[in-house]
Amino acid sequence: MSNDKSDKQLRSQAWFGRQDKMGFYYRSFLKNSGTPQDRFEGRPVIGICNTWSELTPCNAHFRVIAEHVRQGVLDAGGYPLEFPVSSLGEVTMRPTAMLFRNLASMDVEEAIRAHPLDGVVLLMGCDKTTPALLMGAASADLPAIGVSGGPQLRGVYRGQIIGSGTNIISMSEQLRAGEITLKEFHEAEAGMNRSAGSCMTMGTASTMASMVEALGIGLPENAAIPAADARRNLLARMAGRRIVEMVNEDLKPSDILTRQAFENAIRTLAAIGGSTNAVVHLLAIAGRVGVELSLEDFDRLCRDVHCLVDLMPSGRFLMEDFYYAGGLPAVLRALGERGLLHKDARTVNGKTLWNNVAEAPNYNAEVITPFETPFKTEAGIAILNGNLAPNGAVIKPSAASPELMNHTGRAVVFESVEEMHDAVDDDNLDIDASCIMVLKNCGPKGYPGMAEVGNMPLPAKVLRQGVRDMIRISDARMSGTAYGTVVLHVAPEATVGGPLALVKNGDMITLDVPGRRLHLHVSDEELAARRAAWTPPKPHADRGYQKLYIDHVLQADRGVDFDFLVGRTGSPVPRDNH
Ligand code: FES
């Protein structure tokens, strides 16, 4: 074994290096699985942090991935120990998996710190598992490497390619209209999710897997190798080998997750047309490592970047196609060649980001379009400010309608998501296509958990007129598989008394995306009078985790993390209990 560190330098030796009563305990109990003594004698102990769960179907293959990581750790002379942490299934958890992201991050951070670990491999896939593990590992700051579970194979139903989320809405409408049978509907369900892995559109899971690669905290090609492809297992094995070296090099998340890395990730987010959810997740991860990052950074950095990948939900192809076309390395190379990448940013494999991607091929210019003839020129995330969103709001212009990008309309206000659902199909609702739908009380504290309800369904009577998009404004989030002219993440949220709380039916609102403005045409005097009459809604919980969440969650412009989790604690060896 070629450890650069002496045994005494390994953190795990505070447990396993003791030749006393406690050393007996620590080693003896682990020997109950047949562990030989030499495993305790100076080998880096690598935690395999697993979000496997049958309730998180996107991560249900993670026991296999963990075995390949384990083999890699053994190849390199390390001692692998797999451990479970909270898993967050996007489609199964109610009210929203986002409510539990911070809880899971605490689980990860404390599990890493409490155990005799020298490094950790993070197994993540479904939407919230990725930021949760990165946030926890960043706070603990032991050497860490991210391994995503990979996207599903293309969905196929009766010879047609179908994509996660994106085709569900049209099929459910066909069922309601009697155009397909229930049997056909069930058949399509099985065809959409026909392999292991996460959603195979460029939704939040694939966006965050791309962020892992762009940040340099995962190996090259982490983003796109399908879960069912043997090369996903190979990547896991190589991560297992590499983490042992990283322990010896003492290469920690704080060395990787620098300001430069986040700037690379933000530009990559624009180039892949990624999910708006990445905004809150990147802000939260940056907060854990003490990197100053603001919404304005997203607006500024995204302005020069085109959307290069023609993937659903806004395009034609799926993650499997993206991988065969060259995957994220081809996109990173295109950015680097335009001077849009910090080439020197360090990555977990010990090389710079540019070293990893400088020769990356692009095998299919239809899927990964050239920078000169991009899939979309209006890419990335635009940040809006104004008297309706003093601390910012988010819109994804590439998913919006060009004719609505500068529009003034009459507000139609819903105080809650329930009120919106009750009213939206009522033909007596006073609304037309020029109106602006406003939804309140769906922000971090209001929902709580900031649900993905910002892309409100259009009113039935407007749909019947053939209208397919309207401006919608809320303090909520939006699914990465959704699209439309949707203003999200309005901060401060309505529940804490942000100006959104003061909007009334009939108020005029201007959305001016080119001017980055969101303006409520109501005088300051009138707003002050409305504020004096405003009372906050009753909190959704008065005990338990949800109360903790409501009491401590930060607003969207701060990443929706808990105020007491911002910053890094590191991994000092906890006190002995004897
Ligand atoms: Fe898990 Fe989409 S529901 S990745």
Side-chain angles (χ1 to χ4, degrees), residues 414-417 439-450 474-476 490-502 531 534-541 550-551 553 555:
F414 308 102
E415 296 294 327
S416 68
V417 71
L439 175 62
K440 303 179 183 177
N441 299 312
C442 292
K445 290 178 190 280
Y447 194 81
M450 203 180 176
S474 75
D475 44 17
V490 169
E493 64 178 300
T495 301
V496 301
L500 189 68
L502 310 179
R531 180 170 301 288
W534 178 79
T535 51
K538 189 173 173 296
H540 280 265
I550 292 167
D551 287 349
V553 73
Q555 291 293 290

Side-chain angles (χ1 to χ4, degrees), residues 8 65 89 139 160 193 213 225 233 239 247 265 397 417 427 518 536 551:
K8 278 187 182 162
I65 300 246
S139 289
Q160 299 291 314
N193 293 285
E213 190 171 335
I225 304 172
N233 294 335
V247 169
V417 71
D427 282 353
L518 189 62
D551 287 349

